[in-house]
Amino acid sequence: MKGKQKALIEAKAKVLKALGHPTRLWLAEQLADGEKCVCELAEPLEADFSTISKHLSVLKEAGVIAGQKRGKMVYYRLKVPCILKYMPCVEAVIEAGIKEQAELLE
Amino acid sequence: MKGKQKALIEAKAKVLKALGHPTRLWLAEQLADGEKCVCELAEPLEADFSTISKHLSVLKEAGVIAGQKRGKMVYYRLKVPCILKYMPCVEAVIEAGIKEQAELLE
DNA sequence: AGGTTATTTGGCAAAACAACCAAACAAAAC
DNA sequence: GTTTTGTTTGGTTGTTTTGCCAAATAACCT
């Protein structure tokens, strides 16, 4: 694996890793139908604001979301919405696993 | 976020997280056009066999790949091939980030 | 200015992860 | 049946990640 190839795969892994945490995936999914401010995002999650803020910054750092400050609120949005189009396939992976386990019980 | 919803999002995050490591993403991509044995996969990666084996087991645990033993070799394959169809979108995220940085230099 | 609200940052302890080594297994070859 | 080959498991160590707290910042309100 050479330099350029390696850099690309590392960049891709970073994006996937950013989404690879339940809280962050949930946050990204909340942005599916438009931007939301941190307060809207944080409310349903029973976690510290600082925790949410850090998760958002991981997503931002990975290039998944972007934030814009308006007034005293910060609004986040998906930068590349196709990122959520993947979820049906991810769910298919999970379903395949469940199906397999069910077959073991037969 | 209730129990069932939570379990689903955790399962999805687990899949994404499994792919969220350069070595594991590379391994998954190697399986795009059919199964390969561990030895074939490990050879180009200059890492310990045990390291590769553990990465493969993370992918297996997440339901991304499945292994089958034939003779003394173990052959791994993608369980749900659509998992790689996502990469163009992931690349789009990276490109958007690069483009943005370029604009800063103008 | 001083106070309040929304969000980020820094610091810290606990938990999870990654990579290596050595040892265990399992199937094949001798 | 012992050795060799391919792969996994267990153990260790260093690094990274998480999540909470307290403090800092930033913009609005009075």
Side-chain angles (χ1 to χ4, degrees):
Chain A
M1 194 159 32
K2 282 183 241 153
K4 202 168 172 182
Q5 274 287 326
K6 193 179 164 193
L8 177 58
I9 215 153
E10 278 170 3
K12 290 194 285 183
K14 185 174 177 180
V15 172
L16 291 162
K17 185 176 179 179
L19 292 167
H21 184 287
T23 302
R24 290 194 296 262
L25 181 55
W26 183 88
L27 287 166
E29 287 184 348
Q30 296 313 298
L31 302 177
D33 37 282
E35 62 176 24
K36 289 212 168 62
C37 71
V38 179
C39 50
E40 285 174 290
L41 291 168
E43 198 217 332
L45 294 170
E46 292 167 18
D48 204 275
F49 259 73
S50 68
T51 301
I52 309 297
S53 181
K54 272 175 189 168
H55 280 306
L56 287 167
S57 98
V58 172
L59 287 166
K60 190 168 72 181
E61 176 73 19
V64 175
I65 64 175
Q68 193 194 6
K69 185 156 193 170
R70 285 207 300 279
K72 56 184 161 183
M73 271 111 111
V74 177
Y75 293 87
Y76 281 97
R77 66 183 168 77
L78 287 180
K79 264 172 88 176
V80 182
C82 65
I83 213 79
L84 294 178
K85 294 243 175 77
Y86 190 38
M87 297 310 136
C89 172
V90 174
E91 281 159 26
V93 170
I94 295 159
E95 278 161 32
I98 292 168
K99 202 173 163 188
E100 201 167 86
Q101 283 206 301
E103 278 165 18
L104 287 178
L105 297 175
E106 274 170 20
Chain B
M1 197 160 28
K2 280 182 241 153
K4 203 169 173 180
Q5 273 288 327
K6 194 179 164 193
L8 177 57
I9 213 149
E10 279 171 1
K12 289 195 284 184
K14 186 173 176 182
V15 172
L16 291 162
K17 185 175 181 180
L19 292 167
H21 183 287
T23 303
R24 289 194 295 262
L25 180 55
W26 183 88
L27 286 167
E29 287 184 349
Q30 297 312 299
L31 302 178
D33 37 282
E35 63 177 21
K36 289 212 168 60
C37 70
V38 179
C39 48
E40 285 175 291
L41 292 167
E43 195 215 335
L45 295 169
E46 292 167 19
D48 205 275
F49 259 75
S50 67
T51 301
I52 309 296
S53 180
K54 271 172 189 167
H55 281 307
L56 287 167
S57 98
V58 171
L59 287 166
K60 189 168 72 178
E61 177 72 19
V64 175
I65 63 174
Q68 194 194 4
K69 186 157 194 169
R70 287 207 298 280
K72 57 184 160 182
M73 273 110 112
V74 177
Y75 292 87
Y76 282 97
R77 64 183 170 79
L78 286 180
K79 264 174 88 177
V80 181
C82 65
I83 213 78
L84 294 179
K85 294 242 177 78
Y86 191 38
M87 297 310 138
C89 173
V90 173
E91 282 160 24
V93 170
I94 295 160
E95 278 162 32
I98 291 169
K99 202 173 161 186
E100 202 167 85
Q101 283 206 300
E103 278 165 17
L104 287 178
L105 297 176
E106 276 173 19

